[in-house]
Amino acid sequence: MAMTDDARLQPGDTVGILGGGQLGRMLALAAASLGLKTHIFCPDPDSPAFDVSCAYTVAPYDDVSALDAFASSCAVVTYEFENVPGATAMHLASRLPVRPGVRALEVSQDRFHEKEFLRASGVALADYATIDSDEDLAAALTLFGGTGVLKTRRFGYDGKGQVMIRTASNARGAYDKIGRVPAVLERLIPFDREVSVIVARGIDGVCSAYDIAENHHEHHILKTSTVPANVSAETAAKARDMAIRIASSLEYVGVMGVEMFLSGTGDAETLLVNEIAPRVHNSGHWTDDACLTSQFEQHIRAVAGWTLGSADRHSDVVMENLIGDDCHSWPQILTEANARLHLYGKAEARAGRKMGHVNRITPRTA
Amino acid sequence: MAMTDDARLQPGDTVGILGGGQLGRMLALAAASLGLKTHIFCPDPDSPAFDVSCAYTVAPYDDVSALDAFASSCAVVTYEFENVPGATAMHLASRLPVRPGVRALEVSQDRFHEKEFLRASGVALADYATIDSDEDLAAALTLFGGTGVLKTRRFGYDGKGQVMIRTASNARGAYDKIGRVPAVLERLIPFDREVSVIVARGIDGVCSAYDIAENHHEHHILKTSTVPANVSAETAAKARDMAIRIASSLEYVGVMGVEMFLSGTGDAETLLVNEIAPRVHNSGHWTDDACLTSQFEQHIRAVAGWTLGSADRHSDVVMENLIGDDCHSWPQILTEANARLHLYGKAEARAGRKMGHVNRITPRTA
């Protein structure tokens, strides 16, 4: 079922999703509400997305015959994580539309490429330098005043593959700690807060950004997202503009999470882009219960080639991740009048595992 | 997995659903958001609910071995339609909780039993008489002033199995027209409007009613539900009270639709209960996009033995059914900023077939 790049799906068509975690699961639920079928491709036989999909394939991402059969059953392919192997994405893209495109994956899989792209897009970000040796690190630290954050270029998430360098003693052995792989050093920003914007872009080029969220992490894992964020109207508008600029520069199709650092207050508020995620994003889970269109439906509409929905927000909201044993509080959460419980159907509540989330909403009632 | 009548499910448990249409599908989607699995049992191999369930069984409702296997895989069984054969429900109820209970099915499957139950519950309804012969019909028509609506006691829906009698000529052959099966004659009510209330009752006996909806039918099929209904605050409160009284009288567990006739205006508004449906109801589809908790989630919470959610409404809404070819307007609907499209994944848009619905919402924004 080869389709051109601007192809639009019909109800009843199948959206292929690479990755079977909670993001794939929530994408599949959103697709079903729109009359679309889903086919999940994931190596993990216990993928929670399988429970709500029409079809699923358990195979490694480099299994070409499994990918071919998957491609034959789908009208478009999308993904729930940015570390889809490049060869997998390229192979599928030769068969049918992959949205967001292969370029979004290439850019986001390598921190240096990502930063180069962001700089070229004209958005503000912290200074950075590539690091391939102890000498590179020493030189960059000198440039940045002796401090910085050393991060692997590839495969970092939830604080993994990172070393914070605040002192000369931190610097010693830092490159060893991340395994002497290609890396970047980022200038240390005295940021006060972390914020994010979820932005969508349709195949018609129309962009739609949700309200800025203020994010709080614990142990490098997102714990809460609060909307509205406690920022000035100017900052809120600027954050959305930056996210839209990024999506437009990339000729992106789908939903993207844009993480930013916010420093200062009032007129002195300054935003720097931290990183982008070419997929629905944990810091956008609040949209499901507080907006006309959730990020999951928005992503499905975009990758289906359909008109985007309204990102307007009808409620104030705090999203809280249920991590590990947090999920055992579900009976109490159900008794809270304004709490919207979401559980991902994962059997085992391991430490650090995202088991669900709760959106506590306050309708903006007249 | 035998459970007592007050048993509560755990996340990861399976809700069995009899019937695989759009109601079963939307129940399965709601269950998935709460971390519950679903198993759909339906004789139709093309059931739209199969696309979003963990497991499904295609078998007749009287296939005892299929029912036994189904029961063994589930922690509770519910249903999407009231005409579940009594023997099926009884057999399952001997194995595991069936919610709403067998009594709710018995009452709602027979119009006469339903009316007797409603009268005993103390809610107002139109006069009625049982009809088993032409003589019964003649006598009842005399009693009701020569007019009435003749309805089969069993298996009526969407106007099927009904004859309107407004004249003596209508009366001739009326009993033949409905196949000379056991019937009731209802006194013809000069009602102005049709309204409904969706009510839920948990296993703890707590009831929660949604706002009253005003319903408009075309060709005996629901076309739109509008909330708020154009009724007085007293009527709105009274309608909810009547629905709660019915659910309580039945010791019901789950969501129920209560259809009512409304005549008069202002202080002269009068409500008469028309019929009850022991399941999620088409006139409650608006709850999905206008309330904190949808009727589908509310039903799943009730049958799982969980605390009910808030039925508060954050938006005004008009629900429109997409019947037959109506569904082909989906691309236009997607361009409406406040329209929430729902499609059921049915392949063929036959005349009169419910293909989807759209909720057009107006947030009650400050």
Side-chain angles (χ1 to χ4, degrees), chain A residues 8-12 25 28-29 31-38 50-55 288-289 291-294 297 301 306-310 312-315 327 330-331 333-345 361 363-366, chain B residues 8-12 25 28-29 31-38 50-55 288-289 291-294 297 301 306-310 312-315 327 330-331 333-345 361 363-366:
Chain A
R8 288 173 168 75
L9 272 63
Q10 294 291 313
R25 178 178 169 105
L29 293 173
S33 287
L34 294 169
L36 293 163
K37 299 184 195 298
T38 50
F50 293 168
D51 285 350
V52 296
S53 61
C54 298
D288 216 4
D289 294 307
C291 292
L292 294 187
T293 311
S294 77
E297 174 171 329
R301 288 166 76 141
W306 293 3
T307 310
L308 296 184
S310 166
D312 285 357
R313 182 167 59 83
H314 57 68
S315 296
C327 66
W330 67 267
I333 293 169
L334 288 176
T335 67
E336 296 179 44
N338 279 11
R340 306 279 312 122
L341 176 68
H342 300 261
L343 295 175
Y344 305 150
I361 78 171
R364 301 162 79 181
T365 305
Chain B
R8 288 172 168 77
L9 273 62
Q10 293 292 312
R25 178 179 168 103
L29 293 173
S33 286
L34 295 169
L36 292 164
K37 299 184 194 299
T38 50
F50 292 170
D51 285 349
V52 295
S53 61
C54 298
D288 217 3
D289 295 307
C291 292
L292 294 187
T293 311
S294 77
E297 175 171 330
R301 288 166 75 140
W306 294 3
T307 310
L308 296 183
S310 166
D312 285 359
R313 182 167 60 81
H314 56 68
S315 295
C327 66
W330 66 267
I333 294 168
L334 288 176
T335 67
E336 297 179 45
N338 279 11
R340 305 279 312 123
L341 176 69
H342 299 261
L343 295 175
Y344 304 150
I361 78 170
R364 302 162 79 182
T365 305

Side-chain angles (χ1 to χ4, degrees), chain A residues 237-265:
Chain A
K238 188 175 176 190
R240 289 162 58 139
D241 288 348
M242 288 166 75
I244 287 172
R245 180 185 282 245
I246 292 166
S248 296
S249 296
L250 207 47
E251 296 186 336
Y252 193 79
V253 174
V255 159
M256 170 190 289
V258 181
E259 297 181 20
M260 305 178 193
F261 297 137
L262 174 67
S263 52
T265 56

